[in-house]
Amino acid sequence: MVSSANKGVMKVFLDDMLDERKKRILRAIIDDYIGTAEPVGSRTIARKHELGLSSATIRNEMADLEEMGFLAQPHSSAGRVPSDKGYRLYVDHLMELNELPVEDIEGIKSAMEVKINELSQLIRQASMVMSRITRYTSLATTPQLKKSTFKAVQVVPIETGKALVIVVTDAGVVRNCLIRIPDAILPDFLIKVSNLLNEKLVGLTLGQVDRKVVGEIQDEIIITKELLMPILKGIAECISQIDSHEVFLDGTTNIFNYPEFRDIIKAKEFLSFLDQKEILCGLLESNLPNDSVVVKIGAENCVDGIKECSLVKATYSLGDVVIGSIGVIGPTRMEYPRVISSMNYIKKKINQELKKLVEGNTE
Amino acid sequence: MVSSANKGVMKVFLDDMLDERKKRILRAIIDDYIGTAEPVGSRTIARKHELGLSSATIRNEMADLEEMGFLAQPHSSAGRVPSDKGYRLYVDHLMELNELPVEDIEGIKSAMEVKINELSQLIRQASMVMSRITRYTSLATTPQLKKSTFKAVQVVPIETGKALVIVVTDAGVVRNCLIRIPDAILPDFLIKVSNLLNEKLVGLTLGQVDRKVVGEIQDEIIITKELLMPILKGIAECISQIDSHEVFLDGTTNIFNYPEFRDIIKAKEFLSFLDQKEILCGLLESNLPNDSVVVKIGAENCVDGIKECSLVKATYSLGDVVIGSIGVIGPTRMEYPRVISSMNYIKKKINQELKKLVEGNTE
DNA sequence: ATTAGCACTCAATGGTATCGAGTGCTAACA
DNA sequence: TGTTAGCACTCGATACCATTGAGTGCTAAT
């Protein structure tokens, strides 16, 4: 990805290498190829796009562009196909980010503004609407909230010998864990313990629970190991539940709409790839330096299995803290402008809704 | 499905229609076809299986079997392929349910006996291991627990104006729901309300909460609508969460291993079918009259999209109550004996583990 | 009743001819 | 000097045809 600081310098290099006409032709070729999935010939470009040039001229330019590595030829008497490098240039400098169509905006809005009171539900919903709108496969990681803080901790009696540990975070996420406690413990004592836990933990981040805090608790109340241990284990379990993150997928069968997956082997490769949740997760969460939308094209995805796919991804945040990401994956011949616009919009929308969800939990 | 009461009568009809030799031949053909996916010729049967018959004799028998509808011919000079009716006979009367291989038993055991403390997690695990062992696609519905009873209900204060409603069932399932309550409510009062709720609800099934019970509560404590309504809504939300059931899928890409899905259109059809969670759910939960393993072959599945697939399914129960089901779906050319044996075993295992989970929650 | 033998069928395979979209190159032109 | 018309060439795709071989049904002999 080209950082915006470098973009100016890049532009000069670019102008040296590619004059305006070459850029126009390259863009025309890629636009065409994205639409048709067929190698693009010089005649096609001369006819469809009003460049005022003959096919012969375009042919010469195409040969140049191929030599520079922006185009490739499947075989010597075929038209040209964009290379990863070609797509890269297209995404960074050539394409036009047009407005998102009204129906897509409406689609996103109506999907996201239904009353949702679970954080991960919101992300699920966002992923779903992305796959529907882009017609590619969408993926998203559920929020990781290690940095969120305790809002309340409670130990509630359930029946003799059993209690429930409950953890509530400032993001409004609630988890619980059933524990076994000594039979002799009275409900009143659990309330005292709860109060103390609250006092000690509220405001800390989930990651900050350590031996020191535990020691402080032990100092202030006479508590047996038989009671304390299960409670701490329960809290730990709640924390790990909150922090565990899964990957959601939507629109996996969308790939069958694209001719590049007409080959059963390609289709299998892609779908098998999507089955590897850990790799998927790594892919989605790697290289997310800034807060803009990131595009990974073809072999730029260092993972085997999707070297002929592109990934458009973005993060979402709670306040200033990035807590997860969402992406769209499809053939390198992807409708980048549309996907990127959608991604920009949904990212904004997720952040808005997350904020609402947490602040305005007061509904 | 043939009920066991009818099986004796069926057998007589069967013997009338098919002598021992025809049965042996039919079985040989189906066994062979299940292994190879190639139409089976008379020579193959004569050679591979020691029936002491020439190919010509077998040819005659095959013609008979075809006329009876147990076999079909893709084209006039090809071998025979079993029809749905043929598979039906095979499953009901011909195949041999051999012992499950030790490694499969071990696989199931080791997957199921890891410490799991969530009911639906257990089912997820079971589905996963089934897809791995059978090498087909497995599916399962999460437990539906409308008939389970309240073990505890609690309203816990979180912060001023907010409380958490918690419902625990006898199956050890816990759900919670954050609610908004009037600011003036004191924690002590919530404890009183909790105690009353417990008194009234514990022992009832989730489905039994009705206006009468609510009325009883209102009679016994002075409670404002502003507090009671959110609590009841919270309880309702918890119940609906407990009762909501999803479908899990595993091994969806396994189908690419089978030549019947070499055709991209077939593969798409199948995978798209699996995307329709509601239909899937209906399929899995329909026709589960008794507690044995049920096999639905080809067009017996009244749902479009899997007319060339077979489904082997079973229910699992908590005590005597069926609370969900698990199934394996694959081509009609399925290794029925192996799948059915696995299904029998995993069903038993799930029931065992469920029992342990609920009773021995006391760990 | 069983089977050897034989003519027949038909999908699959591989080879060949044809077609056409597209290229590169050359020569003519503005 | 850049552009373009014209032309020979390339090569995948398509269609056509002959061949092959696994498998069948039928008949006649055992």
Side-chain angles (χ1 to χ4, degrees), chain A residues 165-181:
Chain A
V165 175
I166 298 159
V167 171
V168 186
T169 77
D170 61 344
V173 176
V174 183
R175 285 300 122 89
N176 59 61
C177 180
L178 218 44
I179 59 169
R180 177 132 181 75
I181 56 172

Side-chain angles (χ1 to χ4, degrees), chain B residues 136 258 260-261 308-310 329-336:
Chain B
Y136 298 111
Y258 301 99
E260 26 272 278
F261 296 100
E308 295 175 24
C309 293
S310 282
I329 190 166
T332 44
R333 181 186 68 83
M334 182 185 272
E335 289 187 58
Y336 294 100

Side-chain angles (χ1 to χ4, degrees), chain B residues 18-148:
Chain B
L18 289 176
D19 55 30
E20 199 51 39
R21 194 173 73 180
K22 278 204 173 54
K23 282 197 228 165
R24 278 232 295 281
I25 292 175
L26 182 57
R27 187 183 150 186
I29 293 170
I30 297 184
D31 277 337
D32 197 273
Y33 185 72
I34 287 177
T36 62
E38 294 292 324
V40 185
S42 52
R43 265 189 65 103
T44 315
I45 296 301
R47 225 177 325 105
K48 278 204 215 166
H49 303 258
E50 313 256 313
L51 296 173
L53 296 169
S54 76
S55 67
T57 309
I58 293 175
R59 225 156 27 236
N60 290 329
E61 296 287 44
M62 282 166 96
D64 291 354
L65 286 167
E66 182 175 359
E67 201 174 4
M68 290 186 241
F70 297 113
L71 295 176
Q73 241 178 335
H75 59 91
S76 72
S77 74
R80 297 313 202 291
V81 161
S83 66
D84 287 357
K85 190 177 165 190
Y87 285 122
R88 179 84 274 165
L89 190 72
Y90 177 81
V91 167
D92 289 343
H93 302 288
L94 304 182
M95 70 179 182
E96 225 166 61
L97 274 190
N98 31 25
E99 294 267 308
L100 209 53
V102 189
E103 64 259 37
D104 286 355
I105 291 186
E106 283 311 312
I108 293 178
K109 273 193 185 163
S110 67
M112 303 281 295
E113 286 175 359
V114 294
K115 202 184 135 288
I116 293 174
N117 46 17
E118 244 276 65
L119 224 136
S120 67
Q121 204 58 38
L122 181 76
I123 302 306
R124 237 182 237 265
Q125 196 71 18
S127 165
M128 229 155 81
V129 76
M130 275 307 270
S131 78
R132 208 181 57 223
I133 283 180
T134 61
R135 296 190 293 280
Y136 298 111
T137 302
S138 70
L139 55 170
T141 54
T142 50
Q144 297 164 265
L145 297 166
K146 199 146 218 145
K147 284 181 186 147
S148 61

Side-chain angles (χ1 to χ4, degrees), chain A residues 7-208:
Chain A
K7 253 184 183 162
V9 184
M10 244 341 256
K11 193 102 178 71
V12 177
F13 279 132
L14 204 69
D15 289 341
D16 272 3
M17 198 162 51
L18 290 176
D19 53 30
E20 199 51 40
R21 194 173 74 177
K22 279 203 172 54
K23 283 198 230 166
R24 277 233 295 281
I25 292 175
L26 183 56
R27 187 183 151 186
I29 293 170
I30 298 185
D31 277 337
D32 198 272
Y33 186 70
I34 286 178
T36 63
E38 294 291 325
V40 186
S42 52
R43 265 189 65 102
T44 315
I45 296 299
R47 225 178 324 108
K48 278 203 216 167
H49 303 258
E50 314 257 311
L51 296 173
L53 295 169
S54 76
S55 68
T57 310
I58 293 175
R59 225 156 28 235
N60 290 330
E61 296 286 46
M62 282 165 96
D64 290 354
L65 286 167
E66 181 174 2
E67 202 175 4
M68 290 185 240
F70 297 113
L71 294 176
Q73 242 178 336
H75 59 90
S76 72
S77 73
R80 298 312 203 291
V81 160
S83 66
D84 286 358
K85 192 177 165 190
Y87 284 122
R88 180 83 273 164
L89 191 71
Y90 177 80
V91 167
D92 289 342
H93 302 288
L94 304 183
M95 70 179 183
E96 224 165 63
L97 275 189
N98 30 25
E99 294 267 308
L100 208 53
V102 188
E103 65 259 36
D104 287 355
I105 291 186
E106 284 309 313
I108 293 178
K109 273 194 185 163
S110 67
M112 303 281 295
E113 287 175 359
V114 292
K115 200 184 137 288
I116 293 174
N117 46 16
E118 243 276 64
L119 223 135
S120 68
Q121 205 57 37
L122 180 76
I123 303 306
R124 236 181 237 265
Q125 197 71 17
S127 165
M128 229 155 80
V129 75
M130 275 308 270
S131 79
R132 207 182 56 222
I133 283 179
T134 62
R135 294 191 294 278
Y136 298 111
T137 301
S138 71
L139 55 170
T141 54
T142 50
Q144 296 163 268
L145 297 165
K146 199 147 218 144
K147 283 179 188 148
S148 61
T149 60
F150 291 96
K151 183 189 255 176
V153 181
Q154 292 278 348
V155 184
V156 182
I158 296 299
E159 61 180 334
T160 314
K162 279 189 196 166
L164 192 69
V165 175
I166 298 159
V167 171
V168 186
T169 77
D170 61 344
V173 176
V174 183
R175 285 300 122 89
N176 59 61
C177 180
L178 218 44
I179 59 169
R180 177 132 181 75
I181 56 172
D183 288 355
I185 303 293
L186 295 174
D188 279 354
F189 187 67
L190 287 184
I191 293 176
K192 271 194 206 135
V193 175
S194 292
N195 288 340
L196 182 62
L197 284 172
N198 266 296
E199 194 182 306
K200 290 297 169 191
L201 296 180
V202 170
L204 297 185
T205 71
L206 303 192
Q208 279 173 336

